[in-house]
PDB file of all heavy atoms in Angstrom:
ATOM      1  N   THR A   1     -61.416 181.324 225.281  1.00  0.00           N
ATOM      2  CA  THR A   1     -62.452 182.177 224.778  1.00  0.00           C
ATOM      3  C   THR A   1     -63.852 181.618 224.991  1.00  0.00           C
ATOM      4  O   THR A   1     -64.008 180.458 225.297  1.00  0.00           O
ATOM      5  CB  THR A   1     -62.302 182.345 223.234  1.00  0.00           C
ATOM      6  OG1 THR A   1     -62.448 181.066 222.594  1.00  0.00           O
ATOM      7  CG2 THR A   1     -60.956 183.021 222.840  1.00  0.00           C
ATOM      8  N   VAL A   2     -64.824 182.495 224.834  1.00  0.00           N
ATOM      9  CA  VAL A   2     -66.210 182.077 224.867  1.00  0.00           C
ATOM     10  C   VAL A   2     -66.925 182.743 223.668  1.00  0.00           C
ATOM     11  O   VAL A   2     -66.651 183.891 223.318  1.00  0.00           O
ATOM     12  CB  VAL A   2     -66.942 182.480 226.200  1.00  0.00           C
ATOM     13  CG1 VAL A   2     -66.868 183.940 226.451  1.00  0.00           C
ATOM     14  CG2 VAL A   2     -68.382 182.000 226.197  1.00  0.00           C
ATOM     15  N   THR A   3     -67.792 181.980 222.987  1.00  0.00           N
ATOM     16  CA  THR A   3     -68.544 182.519 221.868  1.00  0.00           C
ATOM     17  C   THR A   3     -70.054 182.459 222.201  1.00  0.00           C
ATOM     18  O   THR A   3     -70.525 181.373 222.558  1.00  0.00           O
ATOM     19  CB  THR A   3     -68.251 181.751 220.559  1.00  0.00           C
ATOM     20  OG1 THR A   3     -66.862 181.872 220.271  1.00  0.00           O
ATOM     21  CG2 THR A   3     -69.066 182.329 219.424  1.00  0.00           C
ATOM     22  N   TYR A   4     -70.684 183.600 222.062  1.00  0.00           N
ATOM     23  CA  TYR A   4     -72.158 183.650 222.307  1.00  0.00           C
ATOM     24  C   TYR A   4     -72.844 183.721 220.945  1.00  0.00           C
ATOM     25  O   TYR A   4     -72.393 184.507 220.049  1.00  0.00           O
ATOM     26  CB  TYR A   4     -72.507 184.903 223.120  1.00  0.00           C
ATOM     27  CG  TYR A   4     -71.853 184.916 224.471  1.00  0.00           C
ATOM     28  CD1 TYR A   4     -70.703 185.700 224.713  1.00  0.00           C
ATOM     29  CD2 TYR A   4     -72.332 184.175 225.510  1.00  0.00           C
ATOM     30  CE1 TYR A   4     -70.114 185.754 225.932  1.00  0.00           C
ATOM     31  CE2 TYR A   4     -71.749 184.201 226.755  1.00  0.00           C
ATOM     32  CZ  TYR A   4     -70.640 185.000 226.991  1.00  0.00           C
ATOM     33  OH  TYR A   4     -70.046 185.015 228.207  1.00  0.00           O
ATOM     34  N   ARG A   5     -73.909 182.977 220.709  1.00  0.00           N
ATOM     35  CA  ARG A   5     -74.580 182.976 219.429  1.00  0.00           C
ATOM     36  C   ARG A   5     -76.101 182.920 219.722  1.00  0.00           C
ATOM     37  O   ARG A   5     -76.561 182.122 220.525  1.00  0.00           O
ATOM     38  CB  ARG A   5     -74.217 181.697 218.651  1.00  0.00           C
ATOM     39  CG  ARG A   5     -75.040 181.470 217.413  1.00  0.00           C
ATOM     40  CD  ARG A   5     -74.643 180.224 216.641  1.00  0.00           C
ATOM     41  NE  ARG A   5     -73.315 180.476 216.159  1.00  0.00           N
ATOM     42  CZ  ARG A   5     -72.383 179.542 216.051  1.00  0.00           C
ATOM     43  NH1 ARG A   5     -72.524 178.343 216.506  1.00  0.00           N
ATOM     44  NH2 ARG A   5     -71.187 179.846 215.505  1.00  0.00           N
ATOM     45  N   LEU A   6     -76.852 183.791 219.021  1.00  0.00           N
ATOM     46  CA  LEU A   6     -78.282 183.733 219.078  1.00  0.00           C
ATOM     47  C   LEU A   6     -78.731 182.714 218.039  1.00  0.00           C
ATOM     48  O   LEU A   6     -78.539 182.939 216.839  1.00  0.00           O
ATOM     49  CB  LEU A   6     -78.908 185.121 218.820  1.00  0.00           C
ATOM     50  CG  LEU A   6     -80.394 185.156 218.791  1.00  0.00           C
ATOM     51  CD1 LEU A   6     -80.994 184.851 220.160  1.00  0.00           C
ATOM     52  CD2 LEU A   6     -80.909 186.523 218.300  1.00  0.00           C
ATOM     53  N   VAL A   7     -79.300 181.627 218.475  1.00  0.00           N
ATOM     54  CA  VAL A   7     -79.704 180.569 217.576  1.00  0.00           C
ATOM     55  C   VAL A   7     -81.089 180.839 216.991  1.00  0.00           C
ATOM     56  O   VAL A   7     -81.340 180.614 215.807  1.00  0.00           O
ATOM     57  CB  VAL A   7     -79.701 179.227 218.328  1.00  0.00           C
ATOM     58  CG1 VAL A   7     -80.207 178.072 217.459  1.00  0.00           C
ATOM     59  CG2 VAL A   7     -78.298 178.882 218.852  1.00  0.00           C
ATOM     60  N   GLU A   8     -81.989 181.319 217.826  1.00  0.00           N
ATOM     61  CA  GLU A   8     -83.353 181.685 217.359  1.00  0.00           C
ATOM     62  C   GLU A   8     -83.955 182.720 218.306  1.00  0.00           C
ATOM     63  O   GLU A   8     -83.569 182.806 219.463  1.00  0.00           O
ATOM     64  CB  GLU A   8     -84.243 180.469 217.205  1.00  0.00           C
ATOM     65  CG  GLU A   8     -84.549 179.785 218.503  1.00  0.00           C
ATOM     66  CD  GLU A   8     -85.373 178.488 218.315  1.00  0.00           C
ATOM     67  OE1 GLU A   8     -85.924 178.316 217.235  1.00  0.00           O
ATOM     68  OE2 GLU A   8     -85.438 177.674 219.259  1.00  0.00           O
ATOM     69  N   GLY A   9     -84.958 183.436 217.787  1.00  0.00           N
ATOM     70  CA  GLY A   9     -85.616 184.410 218.588  1.00  0.00           C
ATOM     71  C   GLY A   9     -85.152 185.820 218.295  1.00  0.00           C
ATOM     72  O   GLY A   9     -84.330 186.090 217.423  1.00  0.00           O
ATOM     73  N   GLN A  10     -85.636 186.732 219.103  1.00  0.00           N
ATOM     74  CA  GLN A  10     -85.290 188.134 218.946  1.00  0.00           C
ATOM     75  C   GLN A  10     -83.936 188.473 219.592  1.00  0.00           C
ATOM     76  O   GLN A  10     -83.497 187.722 220.440  1.00  0.00           O
ATOM     77  CB  GLN A  10     -86.356 189.030 219.710  1.00  0.00           C
ATOM     78  CG  GLN A  10     -87.770 188.864 219.169  1.00  0.00           C
ATOM     79  CD  GLN A  10     -87.896 189.423 217.754  1.00  0.00           C
ATOM     80  OE1 GLN A  10     -87.352 190.481 217.437  1.00  0.00           O
ATOM     81  NE2 GLN A  10     -88.544 188.654 216.857  1.00  0.00           N
ATOM     82  N   ALA A  11     -83.318 189.543 219.122  1.00  0.00           N
ATOM     83  CA  ALA A  11     -82.044 189.950 219.698  1.00  0.00           C
ATOM     84  C   ALA A  11     -82.209 190.120 221.203  1.00  0.00           C
ATOM     85  O   ALA A  11     -83.294 190.424 221.728  1.00  0.00           O
ATOM     86  CB  ALA A  11     -81.634 191.317 219.068  1.00  0.00           C
ATOM     87  N   ILE A  12     -81.161 189.860 221.881  1.00  0.00           N
ATOM     88  CA  ILE A  12     -81.190 189.864 223.365  1.00  0.00           C
ATOM     89  C   ILE A  12     -79.928 190.516 223.941  1.00  0.00           C
ATOM     90  O   ILE A  12     -78.879 190.354 223.358  1.00  0.00           O
ATOM     91  CB  ILE A  12     -81.348 188.404 223.842  1.00  0.00           C
ATOM     92  CG1 ILE A  12     -81.544 188.332 225.384  1.00  0.00           C
ATOM     93  CG2 ILE A  12     -80.247 187.522 223.401  1.00  0.00           C
ATOM     94  CD1 ILE A  12     -81.881 186.936 225.887  1.00  0.00           C
ATOM     95  N   ASP A  13     -80.094 191.296 224.985  1.00  0.00           N
ATOM     96  CA  ASP A  13     -78.953 191.791 225.724  1.00  0.00           C
ATOM     97  C   ASP A  13     -78.456 190.707 226.646  1.00  0.00           C
ATOM     98  O   ASP A  13     -79.235 190.071 227.326  1.00  0.00           O
ATOM     99  CB  ASP A  13     -79.342 193.036 226.530  1.00  0.00           C
ATOM    100  CG  ASP A  13     -79.559 194.291 225.668  1.00  0.00           C
ATOM    101  OD1 ASP A  13     -79.004 194.312 224.547  1.00  0.00           O
ATOM    102  OD2 ASP A  13     -80.319 195.174 226.116  1.00  0.00           O
ATOM    103  N   ILE A  14     -77.130 190.573 226.724  1.00  0.00           N
ATOM    104  CA  ILE A  14     -76.472 189.654 227.674  1.00  0.00           C
ATOM    105  C   ILE A  14     -75.319 190.377 228.345  1.00  0.00           C
ATOM    106  O   ILE A  14     -74.853 191.441 227.843  1.00  0.00           O
ATOM    107  CB  ILE A  14     -75.967 188.322 227.005  1.00  0.00           C
ATOM    108  CG1 ILE A  14     -74.890 188.648 225.997  1.00  0.00           C
ATOM    109  CG2 ILE A  14     -77.121 187.566 226.410  1.00  0.00           C
ATOM    110  CD1 ILE A  14     -74.169 187.394 225.493  1.00  0.00           C
ATOM    111  N   LEU A  15     -74.893 189.859 229.459  1.00  0.00           N
ATOM    112  CA  LEU A  15     -73.684 190.378 230.114  1.00  0.00           C
ATOM    113  C   LEU A  15     -72.611 189.300 230.143  1.00  0.00           C
ATOM    114  O   LEU A  15     -72.896 188.121 230.413  1.00  0.00           O
ATOM    115  CB  LEU A  15     -74.006 190.728 231.576  1.00  0.00           C
ATOM    116  CG  LEU A  15     -74.896 191.937 231.818  1.00  0.00           C
ATOM    117  CD1 LEU A  15     -75.397 191.902 233.238  1.00  0.00           C
ATOM    118  CD2 LEU A  15     -74.148 193.184 231.579  1.00  0.00           C
ATOM    119  N   HIS A  16     -71.413 189.706 229.801  1.00  0.00           N
ATOM    120  CA  HIS A  16     -70.203 188.861 229.882  1.00  0.00           C
ATOM    121  C   HIS A  16     -69.433 189.474 231.060  1.00  0.00           C
ATOM    122  O   HIS A  16     -68.785 190.506 230.842  1.00  0.00           O
ATOM    123  CB  HIS A  16     -69.437 188.875 228.609  1.00  0.00           C
ATOM    124  CG  HIS A  16     -68.126 188.122 228.704  1.00  0.00           C
ATOM    125  ND1 HIS A  16     -68.060 186.729 228.731  1.00  0.00           N
ATOM    126  CD2 HIS A  16     -66.841 188.572 228.732  1.00  0.00           C
ATOM    127  CE1 HIS A  16     -66.780 186.356 228.796  1.00  0.00           C
ATOM    128  NE2 HIS A  16     -66.008 187.443 228.779  1.00  0.00           N
ATOM    129  N   GLY A  17     -69.621 188.918 232.271  1.00  0.00           N
ATOM    130  CA  GLY A  17     -69.109 189.602 233.459  1.00  0.00           C
ATOM    131  C   GLY A  17     -69.891 190.874 233.629  1.00  0.00           C
ATOM    132  O   GLY A  17     -71.094 190.861 233.791  1.00  0.00           O
ATOM    133  N   GLU A  18     -69.230 191.991 233.535  1.00  0.00           N
ATOM    134  CA  GLU A  18     -69.876 193.299 233.682  1.00  0.00           C
ATOM    135  C   GLU A  18     -70.168 193.964 232.317  1.00  0.00           C
ATOM    136  O   GLU A  18     -70.791 195.034 232.259  1.00  0.00           O
ATOM    137  CB  GLU A  18     -69.026 194.294 234.534  1.00  0.00           C
ATOM    138  CG  GLU A  18     -68.760 193.743 235.921  1.00  0.00           C
ATOM    139  CD  GLU A  18     -69.998 193.619 236.753  1.00  0.00           C
ATOM    140  OE1 GLU A  18     -70.899 194.483 236.642  1.00  0.00           O
ATOM    141  OE2 GLU A  18     -70.075 192.671 237.586  1.00  0.00           O
ATOM    142  N   GLU A  19     -69.636 193.395 231.240  1.00  0.00           N
ATOM    143  CA  GLU A  19     -69.762 193.988 229.907  1.00  0.00           C
ATOM    144  C   GLU A  19     -71.080 193.593 229.236  1.00  0.00           C
ATOM    145  O   GLU A  19     -71.363 192.430 229.008  1.00  0.00           O
ATOM    146  CB  GLU A  19     -68.617 193.493 229.020  1.00  0.00           C
ATOM    147  CG  GLU A  19     -68.532 194.125 227.688  1.00  0.00           C
ATOM    148  CD  GLU A  19     -67.407 193.606 226.829  1.00  0.00           C
ATOM    149  OE1 GLU A  19     -66.500 192.917 227.373  1.00  0.00           O
ATOM    150  OE2 GLU A  19     -67.372 193.932 225.648  1.00  0.00           O
ATOM    151  N   LYS A  20     -71.884 194.617 228.971  1.00  0.00           N
ATOM    152  CA  LYS A  20     -73.201 194.409 228.333  1.00  0.00           C
ATOM    153  C   LYS A  20     -73.060 194.468 226.834  1.00  0.00           C
ATOM    154  O   LYS A  20     -72.337 195.328 226.307  1.00  0.00           O
ATOM    155  CB  LYS A  20     -74.199 195.461 228.820  1.00  0.00           C
ATOM    156  CG  LYS A  20     -75.625 195.110 228.421  1.00  0.00           C
ATOM    157  CD  LYS A  20     -76.605 196.112 229.085  1.00  0.00           C
ATOM    158  CE  LYS A  20     -78.009 195.713 228.822  1.00  0.00           C
ATOM    159  NZ  LYS A  20     -78.942 196.560 229.603  1.00  0.00           N
ATOM    160  N   MET A  21     -73.765 193.565 226.141  1.00  0.00           N
ATOM    161  CA  MET A  21     -73.729 193.541 224.658  1.00  0.00           C
ATOM    162  C   MET A  21     -75.060 193.093 224.143  1.00  0.00           C
ATOM    163  O   MET A  21     -75.824 192.409 224.859  1.00  0.00           O
ATOM    164  CB  MET A  21     -72.584 192.685 224.167  1.00  0.00           C
ATOM    165  CG  MET A  21     -72.716 191.241 224.582  1.00  0.00           C
ATOM    166  SD  MET A  21     -71.163 190.372 224.517  1.00  0.00           S
ATOM    167  CE  MET A  21     -70.369 191.057 226.003  1.00  0.00           C
ATOM    168  N   ASN A  22     -75.327 193.421 222.903  1.00  0.00           N
ATOM    169  CA  ASN A  22     -76.567 192.991 222.252  1.00  0.00           C
ATOM    170  C   ASN A  22     -76.201 191.845 221.300  1.00  0.00           C
ATOM    171  O   ASN A  22     -75.363 191.973 220.444  1.00  0.00           O
ATOM    172  CB  ASN A  22     -77.203 194.151 221.516  1.00  0.00           C
ATOM    173  CG  ASN A  22     -78.549 193.725 220.942  1.00  0.00           C
ATOM    174  OD1 ASN A  22     -78.660 193.290 219.828  1.00  0.00           O
ATOM    175  ND2 ASN A  22     -79.619 193.860 221.768  1.00  0.00           N
ATOM    176  N   LEU A  23     -76.894 190.737 221.514  1.00  0.00           N
ATOM    177  CA  LEU A  23     -76.657 189.560 220.695  1.00  0.00           C
ATOM    178  C   LEU A  23     -77.781 189.419 219.697  1.00  0.00           C
ATOM    179  O   LEU A  23     -78.934 189.226 220.083  1.00  0.00           O
ATOM    180  CB  LEU A  23     -76.603 188.308 221.641  1.00  0.00           C
ATOM    181  CG  LEU A  23     -76.148 186.997 221.050  1.00  0.00           C
ATOM    182  CD1 LEU A  23     -74.752 187.118 220.479  1.00  0.00           C
ATOM    183  CD2 LEU A  23     -76.182 185.966 222.137  1.00  0.00           C
ATOM    184  N   GLY A  24     -77.440 189.568 218.401  1.00  0.00           N
ATOM    185  CA  GLY A  24     -78.436 189.485 217.349  1.00  0.00           C
ATOM    186  C   GLY A  24     -78.191 188.264 216.474  1.00  0.00           C
ATOM    187  O   GLY A  24     -77.128 187.684 216.493  1.00  0.00           O
ATOM    188  N   LYS A  25     -79.185 187.912 215.693  1.00  0.00           N
ATOM    189  CA  LYS A  25     -79.104 186.759 214.816  1.00  0.00           C
ATOM    190  C   LYS A  25     -77.940 186.974 213.811  1.00  0.00           C
ATOM    191  O   LYS A  25     -77.833 188.022 213.209  1.00  0.00           O
ATOM    192  CB  LYS A  25     -80.445 186.554 214.075  1.00  0.00           C
ATOM    193  CG  LYS A  25     -80.569 185.285 213.400  1.00  0.00           C
ATOM    194  CD  LYS A  25     -81.407 184.340 214.220  1.00  0.00           C
ATOM    195  CE  LYS A  25     -81.782 183.114 213.357  1.00  0.00           C
ATOM    196  NZ  LYS A  25     -82.411 182.167 214.130  1.00  0.00           N
ATOM    197  N   GLY A  26     -77.143 185.934 213.645  1.00  0.00           N
ATOM    198  CA  GLY A  26     -76.059 186.009 212.669  1.00  0.00           C
ATOM    199  C   GLY A  26     -74.864 186.834 213.129  1.00  0.00           C
ATOM    200  O   GLY A  26     -73.969 187.110 212.381  1.00  0.00           O
ATOM    201  N   LYS A  27     -74.852 187.240 214.416  1.00  0.00           N
ATOM    202  CA  LYS A  27     -73.774 188.047 214.953  1.00  0.00           C
ATOM    203  C   LYS A  27     -73.165 187.400 216.131  1.00  0.00           C
ATOM    204  O   LYS A  27     -73.461 187.715 217.284  1.00  0.00           O
ATOM    205  CB  LYS A  27     -74.376 189.417 215.328  1.00  0.00           C
ATOM    206  CG  LYS A  27     -73.416 190.427 215.928  1.00  0.00           C
ATOM    207  CD  LYS A  27     -74.206 191.668 216.374  1.00  0.00           C
ATOM    208  CE  LYS A  27     -73.462 192.342 217.488  1.00  0.00           C
ATOM    209  NZ  LYS A  27     -74.284 193.394 218.113  1.00  0.00           N
ATOM    210  N   ASP A  28     -72.290 186.418 215.900  1.00  0.00           N
ATOM    211  CA  ASP A  28     -71.584 185.735 217.004  1.00  0.00           C
ATOM    212  C   ASP A  28     -70.668 186.723 217.682  1.00  0.00           C
ATOM    213  O   ASP A  28     -70.063 187.554 216.985  1.00  0.00           O
ATOM    214  CB  ASP A  28     -70.754 184.561 216.477  1.00  0.00           C
ATOM    215  CG  ASP A  28     -71.657 183.435 215.873  1.00  0.00           C
ATOM    216  OD1 ASP A  28     -72.869 183.568 215.931  1.00  0.00           O
ATOM    217  OD2 ASP A  28     -71.030 182.431 215.410  1.00  0.00           O
ATOM    218  N   ILE A  29     -70.528 186.574 218.960  1.00  0.00           N
ATOM    219  CA  ILE A  29     -69.606 187.412 219.739  1.00  0.00           C
ATOM    220  C   ILE A  29     -68.641 186.486 220.434  1.00  0.00           C
ATOM    221  O   ILE A  29     -69.026 185.645 221.239  1.00  0.00           O
ATOM    222  CB  ILE A  29     -70.373 188.277 220.787  1.00  0.00           C
ATOM    223  CG1 ILE A  29     -71.302 189.235 220.061  1.00  0.00           C
ATOM    224  CG2 ILE A  29     -69.380 189.061 221.667  1.00  0.00           C
ATOM    225  CD1 ILE A  29     -72.234 190.030 220.987  1.00  0.00           C
ATOM    226  N   THR A  30     -67.315 186.657 220.143  1.00  0.00           N
ATOM    227  CA  THR A  30     -66.269 185.877 220.796  1.00  0.00           C
ATOM    228  C   THR A  30     -65.422 186.798 221.666  1.00  0.00           C
ATOM    229  O   THR A  30     -64.958 187.826 221.183  1.00  0.00           O
ATOM    230  CB  THR A  30     -65.409 185.174 219.746  1.00  0.00           C
ATOM    231  OG1 THR A  30     -66.247 184.293 218.963  1.00  0.00           O
ATOM    232  CG2 THR A  30     -64.321 184.351 220.406  1.00  0.00           C
ATOM    233  N   LEU A  31     -65.269 186.393 222.917  1.00  0.00           N
ATOM    234  CA  LEU A  31     -64.507 187.190 223.867  1.00  0.00           C
ATOM    235  C   LEU A  31     -63.532 186.339 224.635  1.00  0.00           C
ATOM    236  O   LEU A  31     -63.692 185.116 224.697  1.00  0.00           O
ATOM    237  CB  LEU A  31     -65.513 187.850 224.870  1.00  0.00           C
ATOM    238  CG  LEU A  31     -66.597 188.719 224.243  1.00  0.00           C
ATOM    239  CD1 LEU A  31     -67.716 189.001 225.259  1.00  0.00           C
ATOM    240  CD2 LEU A  31     -66.006 190.042 223.747  1.00  0.00           C
ATOM    241  N   SER A  32     -62.556 186.971 225.281  1.00  0.00           N
ATOM    242  CA  SER A  32     -61.676 186.297 226.169  1.00  0.00           C
ATOM    243  C   SER A  32     -62.403 185.919 227.450  1.00  0.00           C
ATOM    244  O   SER A  32     -63.298 186.619 227.868  1.00  0.00           O
ATOM    245  CB  SER A  32     -60.487 187.156 226.532  1.00  0.00           C
ATOM    246  OG  SER A  32     -59.724 187.452 225.365  1.00  0.00           O
ATOM    247  N   LEU A  33     -61.992 184.791 228.060  1.00  0.00           N
ATOM    248  CA  LEU A  33     -62.624 184.440 229.336  1.00  0.00           C
ATOM    249  C   LEU A  33     -62.167 185.444 230.408  1.00  0.00           C
ATOM    250  O   LEU A  33     -61.087 186.002 230.306  1.00  0.00           O
ATOM    251  CB  LEU A  33     -62.150 183.041 229.745  1.00  0.00           C
ATOM    252  CG  LEU A  33     -62.693 181.889 228.954  1.00  0.00           C
ATOM    253  CD1 LEU A  33     -62.211 180.555 229.561  1.00  0.00           C
ATOM    254  CD2 LEU A  33     -64.170 181.889 228.915  1.00  0.00           C
ATOM    255  N   ILE A  34     -63.038 185.651 231.351  1.00  0.00           N
ATOM    256  CA  ILE A  34     -62.748 186.549 232.450  1.00  0.00           C
ATOM    257  C   ILE A  34     -61.858 185.770 233.461  1.00  0.00           C
ATOM    258  O   ILE A  34     -62.274 184.634 233.826  1.00  0.00           O
ATOM    259  CB  ILE A  34     -64.062 186.971 233.156  1.00  0.00           C
ATOM    260  CG1 ILE A  34     -64.958 187.676 232.184  1.00  0.00           C
ATOM    261  CG2 ILE A  34     -63.767 187.816 234.385  1.00  0.00           C
ATOM    262  CD1 ILE A  34     -66.385 187.820 232.661  1.00  0.00           C
ATOM    263  N   PRO A  35     -60.715 186.287 233.860  1.00  0.00           N
ATOM    264  CA  PRO A  35     -59.877 185.543 234.798  1.00  0.00           C
ATOM    265  C   PRO A  35     -60.684 185.188 236.040  1.00  0.00           C
ATOM    266  O   PRO A  35     -61.488 185.985 236.515  1.00  0.00           O
ATOM    267  CB  PRO A  35     -58.785 186.549 235.119  1.00  0.00           C
ATOM    268  CG  PRO A  35     -58.726 187.485 233.984  1.00  0.00           C
ATOM    269  CD  PRO A  35     -60.166 187.557 233.470  1.00  0.00           C
TER     270      PRO A  35
END
């Protein structure tokens, strides 16, 4: 797995492979690794 966390600053869009998501403060995102 991989966990993305916004530590400080404004919410930010990130891509995990081709999957786009919005990373906001206090909202960790945990996903499976891409093969």
Side-chain angles (χ1 to χ4, degrees):
T1 63
V2 58
T3 300
Y4 300 102
R5 170 181 293 141
L6 178 65
V7 176
E8 64 183 346
Q10 298 294 317
I12 185 172
D13 287 334
I14 63 169
L15 290 165
H16 175 72
E18 301 295 324
E19 184 180 350
K20 190 173 189 173
M21 61 202 75
N22 186 268
L23 189 58
K25 193 101 169 173
K27 178 184 153 191
D28 294 359
I29 298 173
T30 300
L31 302 165
S32 295
L33 290 184
I34 301 165

